[in-house]
Amino acid sequence: MSLGEHLVEFRKRIFRAVLGILIGGVVGWLLSDQILVALSAPVSAITNSQGRTASLNFTDISEAFDLRLQIAITVGVVISSPIWLYQIWAFLVPGLTRREKQYAVGFVLTAVPLFLAGCAAGWYVLPHMVALLTAFAPSDTTAIISAQTYYSFVLKLVIAIGIAFVLPVLLVLLNFAGILSSKSILKSWRIAILVIILFTAIATPAADVFSMFLLAIPMIVLFYSAAFIAWLHDRRKAKKQEKFDSELVVP
């Protein structure tokens, strides 16, 4: 296609992706009440666990509307992800080779479930973090938490842990592309474990050792799984190279 045709194709894909996000946003707006109840559950539990008043506060006249709009957009992006991911894929596929297409499909099929699993893990440790962080306040005080700040905290936590679960898949993709060898991955295991521990220590409060290890263990397992898959790929690649070299030898 010419440059003009590419631009028309790009505009068409963008329009469909945005339309999907808008439709998903309407669904998110309708579900915002239930989502707010689920989000506020860890804060409400503070009253029972710590014996003091705790609540989400809307400190600005438009904060309640802004928060519902943020929730709607977030849910819209998540719900419509098959639509806009397909639009990106459909725009890029004509320019990819067969092998690159296979790598891309494999990456999407493994990265999406791992990302969702990471988000689920982040959601699981959320109540522990809320309870622990608010417990540092004196017992005779009231926990009044800004609703918008709290939502941003939850969103960043869940997405950060979700992305962390996808990183091992990126290592495998780099290995299959010939950029990173399995030896290089295994050689850096000490650094990888240290980074994982530091990340989980930051993502979860330092005093909450249980939640930290709850996140660190599956991430370490994923790292070694990625290294093992890369090792199998390098071994198969080496065998193919040996066979090819032997066929070049003239008897």
Side-chain angles (χ1 to χ4, degrees), residues 3-185:
L3 179 60
E5 290 173 332
H6 275 295
L7 292 176
V8 171
E9 175 74 8
F10 180 73
R11 184 180 61 183
K12 181 178 69 174
R13 299 297 177 185
I14 287 292
F15 174 77
R16 292 176 180 177
V18 172
L19 182 62
I21 293 174
L22 288 176
I23 296 174
V26 173
V27 177
W29 181 273
L30 297 175
L31 296 176
S32 59
D33 282 332
Q34 293 86 336
I35 294 173
L36 279 173
V37 171
L39 286 172
S40 60
V43 177
S44 302
I46 296 174
T47 303
N48 298 326
S49 61
Q50 301 178 16
R52 57 184 174 140
T53 303
S55 63
L56 290 178
N57 259 14
F58 297 94
T59 58
D60 187 79
I61 190 170
S62 62
E63 187 171 347
F65 174 79
D66 293 341
L67 179 58
R68 286 180 182 271
L69 189 60
Q70 288 182 14
I71 292 174
I73 294 173
T74 304
V75 174
V77 171
V78 173
I79 290 179
S80 65
S81 57
I83 297 175
W84 55 263
L85 283 174
Y86 172 77
Q87 298 304 321
I88 295 174
W89 172 256
F91 182 75
L92 295 177
V93 158
L96 298 178
T97 64
R98 182 180 178 183
R99 182 177 294 271
E100 289 171 342
K101 291 177 184 178
Q102 292 174 349
Y103 290 164
V105 170
F107 178 78
V108 171
L109 292 179
T110 52
V112 171
L114 284 176
F115 177 75
L116 295 177
C119 291
W123 183 262
Y124 178 78
V125 301
L126 174 64
H128 301 281
M129 295 183 61
V130 172
L132 183 64
L133 290 173
T134 54
F136 285 103
S139 58
D140 58 344
T141 59
T142 301
I144 301 176
I145 304 170
S146 170
Q148 201 161 20
T149 302
Y150 175 73
Y151 178 72
S152 298
F153 166 76
V154 174
L155 189 63
K156 290 175 183 177
L157 171 71
V158 172
I159 291 180
I161 297 177
I163 292 175
F165 271 56
V166 177
L167 291 180
V169 184
L170 182 61
L171 291 178
V172 174
L173 184 64
L174 292 174
N175 173 260
F176 276 50
I179 300 174
L180 197 63
S181 67
S182 60
K183 290 183 179 179
S184 300
I185 298 175

Side-chain angles (χ1 to χ4, degrees), residues 223-238:
F223 170 77
Y224 279 106
S225 300
F228 178 69
I229 295 173
W231 177 77
L232 289 177
H233 176 259
D234 287 351
R235 184 181 178 185
R236 185 178 61 180
K237 189 176 179 180

